[in-house]
Amino acid sequence: MTTRNVDARRLNVKGLLIAIGLPVVLVGALVATLLGTGAFSRDSELEDESLWLWTTPAGEIARVNGLTAATDVRFPLTDAAGNEVQIVQTDSHLLLREIVSGKVSAIDLSTLELTGEAETAPGEGVRLALADEGAFIIDQTQGLVNQVDPSTLAAIGDPLQFPAGLTGGAFDKSGKLWVGVPREGTIVQIEPKDQGAKTVATEVVAEPRQELALTVLGDGVAVLNSTAKQMTTLRSDGRRSVTDVELAGPAETAETSPGTIASVTVTDPPSVITVNDEESQRFAIAAAPSNLLGASVEFHQRIYVPDGASGLVWVYDLEGKELDRIEIDAGGGPVEMYHTGDTLFANALNTNAAVVVSANGNARQAEKDRDDILGGNAPPEDDDSQGDEGDDEGSEESAPQIGPPGSVTNLRGTVGDGLINLSWDAAPNNGSALTKYTIEGAGETWEIAPDQRVLEIGDLTNGTPYSFTVTAHNAEGQGDPATSPTITPSADVPDPVGSVEAVANNDGTVKVSWDEANGQGNDVSGYQIEAIASGKQVVVGQSDTTTFTVPEGTLDYGTGYVFQVTTLAGAAASSPSAPSNSVTPFNVPEAPTDLLAETATDAAGSIDVRWQKPSDNGRPIEKYIVRAGDKAKEVSNATAVRMDGFADGEQVTVSVTAVNEAGESEPATTTSNTMVAPQVAITGWSSDTHYMTIEFTFDDGGGDAECQLVRHPSSGEVLDTKEACDGSITSTKYYSSTEYTWAVKITNPVGSVKSGKQLTETKAINGTVYFGCSEQSTNYCDKPNADGGGADGVSIRSQPSGGSHLGYVKTGRTLTAKCWTTGPEVKPRGPESDGTHDYHPGKDATDKWIRVNYGDNENAFISFAWFNIDGEGKNSTGGLVPCN
């Protein structure tokens, strides 16, 4: 991959310009919401250093305040997840372009109105630029720069026409727009005017058809020529510098940077190149090679490098010393950097994480999904693929060992009056991205970008034969040269064709048609067709009729192209035709990815299906068709659905296809089972004096299961503890020293099942009888109980009051206690006929009665006045529970 200059790596001076997902149909809803709250008021202007940041999976924008690092507004865009939109904003205007459809909308922030709409060619190849001084829609594919009213989007004056395939398009601090023209090797400064834009200056910065990337700096503009490995810097005071750079591999550049130093990220080997006029420096960075290593920027004498693969923003000083590693949860996706005022923003597109960096280097985390703000809660990815720079043949397993590239093929030439047009097919890159082609012949050498596989060579002598060699280069070296046949320019050439029209078909092909050309006395032998996009120009084929269909897969889906046709008369050729209309090739979407079908845990006969949005291949995905068994559902604006109506335990085959204008994708398929009835079996138990814990194994049947203890007294069932199943369950508090019978009941949405019964027993609490008559001789103690005395001991009764007598116990008798209740009060001391006597020293009068085991009687009671719980004080019942 060579240096890229695309929306997904853009840093702007006047605000934010990023590739995000925001269908323009939702702009009205956005404005209505903000109107209703006043959120999009003066507080949102860029003077307070706030920016709107995007989260791809959620389909949501959030406004982050650069001064406080706090998110103050969120807005979910239901249809937006995974799609791309360009957003540009100033203090007073917000422009949005839906990339897939090409529709542009304008919001006036002073009135909070949706004030204008415009149509552009769909796909990549058109971009917006906005500053206080004016607004532009730049059709990079067509080479058109259109000044528009930022409120209405109405055209202001005539568009400026440049050769097709522009790059860049960003404002500098003086309010001038900079655009690159790779086919001419120039950059152009454009000034917005009341009557329409005008070109202020044109600077030659490279040989024609070399790869250029523009970075608008805080002072001037820097142009990276990846083909020649040079950086040209133009300052606002007119100074111009050209510096060689150590460009050892693919590179990323920002379109704008707040400082005066230009910075380039080399993704492999990971390094940074800084250029300050004639001074150039390269230093290695600690990141690993990755296509998620983004464009670096210089901000207050520090270099910031976003790294989505490691979830970091690397910070270095200008000498290459590491200063900091700012953590950011990137979620395996890109991290992009923007700035406004004196604040730098790092935004993770795949997550709700962002970082705000102040001028002193202080970094603060900014959560985009705060719940305590307007907009509330957010839903929960985008494969950042680039066009090929040479064919990478075969799969990973069969890919050639990394090395120098192969030779170009199909090297051919057409001739005109004093000129030759060379074209060729891409050389195999052999695992390392192509960096340039070198062309030699006619005593000269040219270097052009790898996507510019067409070269017009002029100032040649008619009738003189020429031969040329073309050599491909990558980071590993150069390939073998390919030599053209002898080509002889001639003044005897046919006319160019007229009325070139292109139509994108729904099978990935593009049909190009044109009027028949006048051969001017030559026999027209055919026509050569070239496709031109931003930074690209390739020959796609030849035709002997006035139509040609570009085969499926030849062009990048979702990228805008224009076509030029050259008339052929043997080896002679006309000048290229005027460009066709712009078209964006498209095809059916790719199959949905990461398809997962799972048993629905909260509903019988149901499965839950979810997937990830695939590549739309140039047209928006309108819906998904989910098929499960004999059932089907259409899903719009979501990547998840529940399929129901199946039998319990049924195995269901699931497929999901994506549908766009071209039709239905290949299916993604998987299988899942619906829920079945649960199962449970007791495996053991344990207890203490009051609680019993039942151990069990279970199968939840694939559903959300709940388990409950069921007690089985002789009279039926009593429901006890209920909780989520985890293999054990503990009862509520019960009597000590008591047997209980239990079962475990398990329930899921299909039904309920009970285990077998399990007999358990709580551990014993013992106590000892103390009754003074066992040790004393008093009138009371010397009389039998039948005569109103206590000689026989303490009576055990079936009830505390009114129960039957079960027997007598004396001091020292051990009984097992179960619980306590209340009954007649008993005083252990007091006056009698022969004096005052204490029958239980230290015991208080009490109305408590203790239920005990007495022989075969489990319903037996003794007054607490004559009973001491082992291990407790005389007046404490310890852990005994009240009797029910």
Side-chain angles (χ1 to χ4, degrees):
M1 182 176 67
T2 55
T3 305
R4 303 184 327 185
N5 197 13
V6 295
D7 295 330
R9 294 290 184 271
R10 183 158 296 135
L11 194 75
N12 243 25
V13 172
K14 298 302 294 183
L16 174 63
L17 176 48
I18 52 176
I20 67 169
L22 172 62
V24 176
V25 296
L26 294 173
V27 171
L30 168 63
V31 175
T33 299
L34 297 173
L35 275 169
T37 62
F40 222 156
S41 64
R42 182 71 179 174
D43 289 340
S44 74
E45 295 183 356
L46 298 180
E47 291 176 1
D48 70 0
E49 302 192 357
S50 294
L51 289 182
W52 288 91
L53 302 180
W54 173 250
T55 305
T56 301
E60 182 178 84
I61 54 176
R63 190 176 65 188
V64 177
N65 188 303
L67 301 179
T68 64
T71 302
D72 53 20
V73 181
R74 295 168 58 195
F75 190 80
L77 304 164
T78 308
D79 296 336
N83 294 327
E84 290 186 347
V85 164
Q86 294 175 340
I87 294 180
V88 291
Q89 58 187 299
T90 64
D91 292 343
S92 55
H93 292 93
L94 178 70
L95 304 184
L96 310 104
R97 178 176 179 265
E98 184 182 6
I99 291 177
V100 174
S101 70
K103 188 173 183 180
V104 182
S105 296
I107 297 173
D108 188 327
L109 300 184
S110 63
T111 62
L112 303 177
E113 293 180 348
L114 178 63
T115 56
E117 292 184 334
E119 299 291 338
T120 65
E124 298 287 355
V126 176
R127 62 156 299 178
L128 309 175
L130 180 65
D132 292 336
E133 291 75 13
F136 286 90
I137 298 176
I138 304 160
D139 190 327
Q140 297 172 318
T141 306
Q142 288 275 3
L144 295 174
V145 178
N146 301 271
Q147 184 179 346
V148 296
D149 184 288
S151 296
T152 65
L153 298 179
I156 299 176
D158 294 329
L160 300 179
Q161 177 71 67
F162 300 95
L166 304 178
T167 62
F171 278 96
D172 61 19
K173 280 189 173 181
S174 69
K176 307 296 193 304
L177 180 74
W178 287 93
V179 175
V181 189
R183 294 185 71 186
E184 294 182 340
T186 61
I187 59 172
V188 179
Q189 188 184 43
I190 299 169
E191 184 176 16
K193 291 287 189 179
D194 291 342
Q195 302 302 316
K198 72 172 185 177
T199 299
V200 178
T202 299
E203 297 284 345
V204 176
V205 293
E207 294 295 325
R209 292 181 171 83
Q210 294 186 333
E211 185 170 6
L212 306 180
L214 281 67
T215 300
V216 175
L217 302 172
D219 176 23
V221 60
V223 184
L224 176 65
N225 182 339
S226 297
T227 310
K229 296 184 179 180
Q230 291 181 329
M231 178 81 83
T232 300
T233 306
L234 304 174
R235 297 299 185 183
S236 57
D237 61 4
R239 288 179 294 124
R240 177 189 179 109
S241 305
V242 180
T243 307
D244 292 334
V245 294
E246 296 183 55
L247 197 62
E252 299 281 356
T253 58
E255 288 206 352
T256 70
S257 180
T260 60
I261 296 174
S263 181
V264 178
T265 301
V266 179
T267 60
D268 188 11
S271 55
V272 167
I273 300 169
T274 60
V275 175
N276 187 7
D277 296 329
E278 292 86 3
E279 298 178 6
S280 173
Q281 180 175 346
R282 176 183 176 273
F283 56 84
I285 60 176
S290 169
N291 62 359
L292 294 177
L293 201 57
S296 56
V297 296
E298 181 263 326
F299 180 65
H300 287 279
Q301 303 295 298
R302 298 180 183 91
I303 303 297
Y304 293 82
V305 188
D307 183 0
S310 63
L312 295 172
V313 176
W314 304 86
V315 186
Y316 293 86
D317 67 14
L318 298 182
E319 301 303 317
K321 178 184 176 182
E322 184 179 323
L323 300 178
D324 196 6
R325 299 182 183 186
I326 303 171
E327 295 185 358
I328 183 170
D329 178 15
V335 175
E336 299 182 350
M337 302 189 70
Y338 332 110
H339 68 91
T340 180
D342 211 19
T343 305
L344 190 68
F345 293 78
N347 180 40
L349 293 184
N350 276 13
T351 72
N352 284 302
V355 171
V356 176
V357 183
S358 60
N360 62 5
N362 180 42
R364 293 169 291 170
Q365 298 291 324
E367 296 181 2
K368 293 180 284 181
D369 60 344
R370 281 181 54 191
D371 288 331
D372 57 342
I373 57 173
L374 174 68
N377 207 352
E381 2 225 47
D382 202 350
D383 201 35
D384 187 17
S385 58
Q386 277 306 118
D388 72 289
E389 294 124 358
D391 296 334
D392 211 346
E393 298 177 351
S395 65
E396 181 178 347
E397 295 179 356
S398 61
Q401 185 176 359
I402 295 176
S407 298
V408 305
T409 58
N410 202 21
L411 176 58
R412 57 202 179 274
T414 60
V415 300
D417 187 3
L419 60 85
I420 291 174
N421 255 302
L422 287 179
S423 63
W424 57 91
D425 293 341
N429 65 26
N430 289 343
S432 178
L434 299 183
T435 56
K436 65 181 178 180
Y437 290 107
T438 301
I439 301 92
E440 296 178 321
E444 293 192 51
T445 300
W446 300 265
E447 291 183 342
I448 67 173
D451 281 327
Q452 297 284 342
R453 299 197 297 272
V454 175
L455 177 64
E456 181 181 290
I457 302 169
D459 297 326
L460 301 177
T461 303
N462 290 333
T464 299
Y466 295 90
S467 181
F468 299 88
T469 62
V470 177
T471 305
H473 297 253
N474 66 10
E476 302 298 316
Q478 66 182 50
D480 293 331
T483 303
S484 73
T486 299
I487 311 170
T488 305
S490 170
D492 190 15
V493 296
D495 285 347
V497 305
S499 303
V500 182
E501 294 184 358
V503 176
N505 300 316
N506 62 6
D507 59 357
T509 65
V510 175
K511 183 179 180 181
V512 185
S513 59
W514 55 90
D515 293 341
E516 186 174 356
N518 185 338
Q520 293 296 341
N522 300 293
D523 292 332
V524 174
S525 57
Y527 302 91
Q528 179 173 282
I529 301 91
E530 296 177 16
I532 302 170
S534 176
K536 297 182 180 181
Q537 182 179 10
V538 296
V539 173
V540 293
Q542 292 186 358
S543 173
D544 56 8
T545 69
T546 57
T547 63
F548 178 77
T549 299
V550 183
E552 171 190 2
T554 302
L555 304 174
D556 294 335
Y557 300 137
T559 297
Y561 289 87
V562 295
F563 298 86
Q564 289 183 323
V565 178
T566 300
T567 309
L568 304 178
S574 70
S575 58
S577 67
S580 71
N581 55 299
S582 294
V583 297
T584 303
F586 69 102
N587 208 332
V588 296
E590 299 297 319
T593 60
D594 299 330
L595 174 62
L596 180 64
E598 296 179 302
T599 303
T601 60
D602 58 351
S606 302
I607 58 174
D608 289 325
V609 185
R610 62 179 184 271
W611 59 93
Q612 293 294 329
K613 177 184 179 293
S615 171
D616 57 30
N617 280 344
R619 290 294 187 272
I621 293 174
E622 301 165 355
K623 63 183 177 180
Y624 298 93
I625 301 176
V626 183
R627 298 177 175 90
D630 59 353
K631 300 172 174 56
K633 286 185 179 179
E634 294 187 357
V635 181
S636 300
N637 306 326
T639 55
V641 70
R642 173 164 289 182
M643 305 295 289
D644 48 23
F646 303 104
D648 295 339
E650 181 177 347
Q651 186 177 58
V652 181
T653 299
V654 179
S655 71
V656 181
T657 58
V659 181
N660 68 4
E661 179 184 335
E664 193 171 334
S665 73
E666 290 294 319
T669 60
T670 189
T671 59
S672 182
N673 295 315
T674 59
M675 192 190 313
V676 297
Q679 299 180 41
V680 63
I682 294 176
T683 58
W685 65 278
S686 61
S687 69
D688 60 16
T689 55
H690 297 294
Y691 299 94
M692 290 141 285
T693 298
I694 308 299
E695 308 290 337
F696 58 92
T697 59
F698 70 97
D699 182 346
D700 61 15
D704 292 332
E706 185 176 64
C707 286
Q708 186 168 26
L709 272 178
V710 179
R711 185 162 60 87
H712 283 271
S714 58
S715 58
E717 291 185 354
V718 176
L719 301 180
D720 198 76
T721 308
K722 182 187 293 186
E723 61 186 38
C725 302
D726 63 1
S728 70
I729 190 167
T730 299
S731 69
T732 54
K733 197 170 186 179
Y734 280 85
Y735 302 160
S736 60
S737 319
T738 306
E739 290 184 342
Y740 296 92
T741 300
W742 299 99
V744 176
K745 180 181 179 181
I746 184 170
T747 303
N748 72 9
V750 171
S752 298
V753 173
K754 280 193 298 184
S755 70
K757 296 179 181 179
Q758 177 67 56
L759 178 64
T760 68
E761 183 178 11
T762 52
K763 291 183 177 180
I765 293 179
N766 295 318
T768 303
V769 176
Y770 185 91
F771 181 56
C773 285
S774 300
E775 302 168 352
Q776 299 181 43
S777 175
T778 66
N779 289 342
Y780 170 73
C781 290
D782 291 340
K783 289 192 296 185
N785 289 55
D787 295 332
D792 300 319
V794 177
S795 176
I796 301 294
R797 309 191 64 81
S798 62
Q799 294 290 338
S801 178
S804 60
H805 168 68
L806 301 177
Y808 295 106
V809 293
K810 293 185 177 182
T811 297
R813 176 73 176 268
T814 297
L815 299 173
T816 299
K818 294 177 178 289
C819 57
W820 64 266
T821 187
T822 57
E825 184 181 57
V826 176
K827 297 178 180 179
R829 65 191 59 84
E832 297 178 11
S833 60
D834 58 344
T836 297
H837 302 286
D838 189 350
Y839 294 102
H840 196 163
K843 196 75 168 184
D844 296 337
T846 179
D847 64 350
K848 288 184 178 179
W849 288 71
I850 308 301
R851 181 179 170 186
V852 295
N853 286 332
Y854 179 73
D856 294 332
N857 296 297
E858 292 192 359
N859 283 316
F861 292 87
I862 184 173
S863 171
F864 186 44
W866 316 121
F867 196 70
N868 295 327
I869 304 298
D870 291 354
E872 301 289 339
K874 286 189 175 185
N875 296 297
S876 171
T877 57
L880 282 182
V881 298
C883 303
N884 291 335

